[in-house]
């Protein structure tokens, strides 16, 4: 996926919320119906770690400890990814920005692409439930479909509903201690973004403690309402 484009991005949505809030699940559900691409810096960083790139080597131990990877690395990865041709219809940013520095850098990157953030959806959750939510989750190692021990079991245990593979994986940083650190990092460094985007009048808060389909229905409604200001949606 090295094809580059300098075209502007017609739709830029940001999903903001702590780990376990369901941002990735919702982004994947919306990708197809709205022709958008989910862009998760967590996924991009895990790919860099797996590929053993310089950025991946620097990020590995930071990610395993539950802290945030340096803004410079994240911004560089994001800047590159946004110019790839599959983003042409628009993107859902999942897990980025996570600091004010990243938010300001993103504003500049988008401005240079003649683009801007259309909406920031803030996933409001009960923090105490996040450890249970995260500790129970796993994904299909082949197609990436997400599952959960309690909330979303595959029809046949250990077999992916979507592609039939039997290679389920749990993330190394989805253990209670690291999750606690990730939640602390969220409160210290990411939560201030709520005020940042409120100030810019792009913030929409949703109750993300509901069932997966109820949450996606309300996000779809928000996006349909946005079509007046974003005709491409
Ligand atoms: P996630 O998949 O979004 O839960 O991210 C997993 C880990 O990747 C985080 O705990 C961070 O160490 C790192 N990470 C992902 N996105 C960012 C970001 N925007 N800024 C800093 N670190 C990030």
């Amino acid at each position: 996926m090295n094809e580059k484009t300098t075209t502007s991005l017609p739709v830029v949505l940001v999903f903001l919320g702590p780990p376990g809030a369901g941002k990735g699940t919702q982004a994947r559900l919306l990708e197809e119906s709205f022709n958008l691409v989910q862009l998760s810096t967590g996924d991009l960083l895990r790919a860099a770690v797996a590929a053993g790139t310089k950025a991946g080597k620097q990020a590995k131990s930071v990610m395993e400890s539950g802290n945030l990877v340096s803004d410079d690395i994240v911004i560089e990865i994001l800047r590159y990814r946004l110019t790839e041709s599959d983003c042409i219809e628009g993107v859902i940013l999942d897990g980025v920005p996570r600091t004010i520095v990243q938010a300001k850098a993103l504003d500049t990157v988008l401005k240079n692409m003649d683009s801007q953030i259309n909406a920031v959806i803030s996933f409001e959750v009960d923090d105490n439930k996040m450890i249970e939510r995260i500790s129970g989750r796993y994904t299909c190692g082949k197609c990436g479909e997400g599952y959960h021990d309690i909330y979303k079991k595959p029809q046949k245990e250990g077999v992916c509903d979507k592609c039939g593979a039997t290679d389920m994986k749990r993330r190394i940083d989805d253990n209670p201690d690291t999750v606690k650190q990730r939640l602390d990092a969220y409160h210290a460094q990411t939560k201030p973004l709520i005020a940042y985007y409120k100030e810019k009048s792009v913030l929409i808060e949703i109750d993300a403690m509901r069932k997966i389909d109820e949450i996606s229905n309300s996000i779809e409604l928000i996006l349909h309402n946005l079509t007046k200001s974003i005709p491409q949606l």
Side-chain angles (χ1 to χ4, degrees):
M1 227 183 271
N2 287 323
E3 210 180 314
K4 311 285 283 179
T5 170
T6 51
T7 319
S8 70
L9 302 167
V11 182
V12 181
L13 304 175
V14 173
F15 282 6
L16 185 64
K23 304 181 298 292
T25 303
Q26 293 299 333
R28 278 187 291 277
L29 286 171
L30 289 165
E31 266 190 316
E32 269 180 41
S33 25
F34 288 89
N35 229 352
L36 301 170
V37 166
Q38 175 207 17
L39 210 159
S40 147
T41 38
D43 286 347
L44 293 171
L45 287 165
R46 278 184 286 280
V49 171
T53 65
K54 192 173 161 220
K57 283 183 182 131
Q58 286 170 317
K60 189 172 185 286
S61 59
V62 182
M63 292 172 76
E64 282 172 6
S65 69
N67 289 303
L68 293 187
V69 172
S70 82
D71 290 326
D72 288 350
I73 291 180
V74 171
I75 293 160
E76 214 30 59
I77 285 185
L78 181 66
R79 192 203 313 272
Y80 180 82
R81 182 67 184 88
L82 283 172
T83 60
E84 289 186 310
S85 56
D86 61 331
C87 296
I88 199 146
E89 304 282 346
V91 292
I92 304 174
L93 300 183
D94 158 16
V96 68
R98 250 156 144 126
T99 64
I100 296 283
V101 171
Q102 289 178 22
K104 289 185 174 164
L106 175 65
D107 289 341
T108 307
V109 169
L110 292 177
K111 200 166 171 212
N112 289 338
M113 296 176 82
D114 257 343
S115 309
Q116 61 179 5
I117 292 173
N118 304 102
V120 176
I121 300 190
S122 173
F123 286 57
E124 304 291 316
V125 291
D126 173 357
D127 244 41
N128 297 321
K129 298 269 174 7
M130 290 305 103
I131 294 189
E132 175 193 274
R133 265 206 201 178
I134 300 180
S135 306
R137 71 185 184 181
Y138 55 97
T139 51
C140 169
K142 192 172 173 208
C143 74
E145 184 70 0
Y147 294 98
H148 194 280
D149 291 329
I150 300 168
Y151 306 113
K152 191 187 162 196
K153 297 181 184 177
Q155 279 168 14
K156 191 167 170 213
E157 202 187 323
V159 182
C160 178
D161 293 342
K162 208 169 171 188
C163 74
T166 52
D167 170 29
M168 298 294 189
K169 287 196 159 58
R170 285 181 199 259
R171 273 170 51 175
I172 195 167
D173 59 348
D174 275 353
N175 65 79
D177 284 347
T178 313
V179 170
K180 196 179 167 307
Q181 182 53 45
R182 287 160 65 199
L183 285 169
D184 287 349
Y186 172 78
H187 284 287
Q189 289 159 280
T190 311
K191 217 170 173 188
L193 291 177
I194 293 182
Y196 180 84
Y197 287 124
K198 227 177 220 171
E199 172 84 27
K200 290 180 177 285
S201 305
V202 284
L203 191 86
I204 302 168
E205 289 163 304
I206 59 158
D207 171 5
M209 290 309 292
R210 294 169 294 163
K211 290 194 183 127
I212 292 174
D213 57 340
E214 287 172 5
I215 300 168
S216 57
N217 285 345
S218 50
I219 299 179
E220 283 191 18
L221 196 64
I222 291 167
L223 297 191
H224 283 301
N225 287 334
L226 280 174
T227 52
K228 292 176 201 114
S229 49
I230 321 170
Q232 293 88 346
L233 257 180

